[in-house]
Amino acid sequence: MGVMITVAPTGAESRKEDVPALPTTVEEIVATAQQVEAAGAAMIHLHLRDASHEPTLDVGVGREWVAAVRESTDLVVQISTGGAVTDSFKDRLAVLEVEPDSCSVSMGTVNFGDGVFHNPPGFIRDLYRDVRERDIVPEFELFDLGHIESLRRLLRDEGVPAKGRVHCNLVCGVPGGMPGTPQAVMAAASMLPPEVSSWSATGVGRSSVSVLLTALALGGHLRVGMEDTLTLSPGRPVTSNTELVLRAAGLGRLANREPLDPTAAREVLGIAAR
Ligand code: KMH
Ligand code: ZN
């Protein structure tokens, strides 16, 4: 089985002035998208930035970024509905108007460094209903083992996504969430509900490589990018998202798992060809 590599190039947590290599303009996002596609990525997870490089959920910016990535690559385009910990539920729902191929749906509240990433059950349900109505393919973000139970209940009460595929991402190593250890990845992967058809794993910060290796060994897919990881090893800053995608693709090949192209990723996720 091949490996689907998602890149999360920007996130909402790092500041452009602190990390100049972070792509925060539409031109930088397009250049990043083209380079990571050539390096083996199949999907891009987008957090938007405004003209001052600050995180935003502005629908106009979102439409511009999604159109630009679609014009210049074949990548599956996923929008973050998580945004920043300061974003309102209203804005996080409204960003679906951008009409991406996929979007993140976080399955529970979690401490997030010094902040709290709020995802109460009513918000998750409203977001999921809207996602299904709009025919967007969700990626369920699991930051802790309890979020798996919350996913199980959502699927039981609301049904599976429109295309029948259930794709999750295990987000490990957020300060406040499950740790970025092989044990945590193995525990989470072994507890996923039977409806889950595919999953990936993300290791934040230093946990990136051990999480990737564990996911590869267990048959999972991978998410990497400067949203999650800013150093390749202690003292060696990441200079581009492409470096992280190339490393993930190399590890995949080492595990006899060739990177999937965007067409194959669409099949995994149940997304119709454009
Ligand atoms: N930035 C985090 C608060 C998502 O993209 O949906 C939330 C996050 C998850 O990154
Ligand atoms: Zn994100």
Side-chain angles (χ1 to χ4, degrees):
M1 181 189 28
V3 61
M4 179 170 65
I5 300 176
T6 299
V7 65
T10 309
E13 282 69 41
S14 296
R15 308 202 67 193
K16 180 77 163 178
E17 61 201 54
D18 298 330
V19 189
L22 199 69
T24 54
T25 65
V26 69
E27 293 81 13
E28 289 169 346
I29 284 293
V30 165
T32 297
Q34 289 175 322
Q35 286 160 17
V36 298
E37 183 178 30
M43 175 151 72
I44 188 163
H45 168 87
L46 289 177
H47 283 255
L48 310 171
R49 296 286 175 121
D50 64 18
S52 310
H53 310 282
E54 296 298 324
T56 181
L57 287 172
D58 184 86
V59 172
V61 173
R63 288 207 176 108
E64 183 192 8
W65 284 31
V66 170
V69 172
R70 283 183 172 152
E71 266 164 34
S72 52
T73 73
D74 193 33
L75 292 174
V76 177
V77 182
Q78 180 182 86
I79 281 279
S80 166
T81 65
V85 290
T86 46
D87 284 320
S88 68
F89 295 142
K90 185 166 159 276
D91 289 348
R92 290 172 57 193
L93 288 168
V95 77
L96 295 182
E97 286 171 32
V98 166
E99 294 184 4
D101 302 310
S102 172
C103 70
S104 55
V105 175
S106 292
M107 289 312 300
T109 295
V110 62
N111 286 345
F112 206 93
D114 292 334
V116 180
F117 181 33
H118 290 280
N119 295 287
F123 172 70
I124 295 173
R125 189 195 57 232
D126 292 349
L127 175 60
Y128 184 51
R129 286 182 181 172
D130 210 352
V131 165
R132 289 183 72 190
E133 262 166 38
R134 291 174 187 270
D135 226 7
I136 298 169
V137 169
E139 175 182 279
F140 298 103
E141 310 295 331
L142 308 171
F143 292 82
D144 217 335
L145 296 187
H147 296 185
I148 298 172
E149 189 51 26
S150 152
L151 173 63
R152 190 190 308 277
R153 285 164 50 196
L154 184 77
L155 297 175
R156 181 196 66 197
D157 297 344
E158 302 288 330
V160 296
K163 300 291 187 309
R165 307 283 168 84
V166 180
H167 179 67
C168 304
N169 181 37
L170 312 178
V171 190
C172 306
V174 166
M178 65 181 151
T181 59
Q183 289 84 351
V185 177
M186 287 176 70
S190 68
M191 289 167 61
L192 294 173
E195 295 91 338
V196 170
S197 47
S198 59
W199 61 275
S200 59
T202 304
V204 171
R206 274 187 210 165
S207 71
S208 181
V209 173
S210 51
V211 167
L212 299 191
L213 290 172
T214 311
L216 283 169
L218 293 174
H221 299 284
L222 309 178
R223 180 181 115 174
V224 295
M226 293 177 76
E227 172 169 345
D228 308 312
T229 304
L230 291 170
T231 53
L232 286 170
S233 58
R236 271 183 73 204
V238 171
T239 59
S240 73
N241 281 282
T242 312
E243 273 181 321
L244 294 169
V245 172
L246 283 171
R247 180 167 74 171
L251 293 175
R253 292 193 175 101
L254 202 61
N256 285 325
R257 299 195 44 204
E258 196 63 28
L260 296 180
D261 66 17
T263 304
R266 283 188 171 79
E267 272 175 38
V268 169
L269 299 167
I271 294 175
R274 263 189 234 139

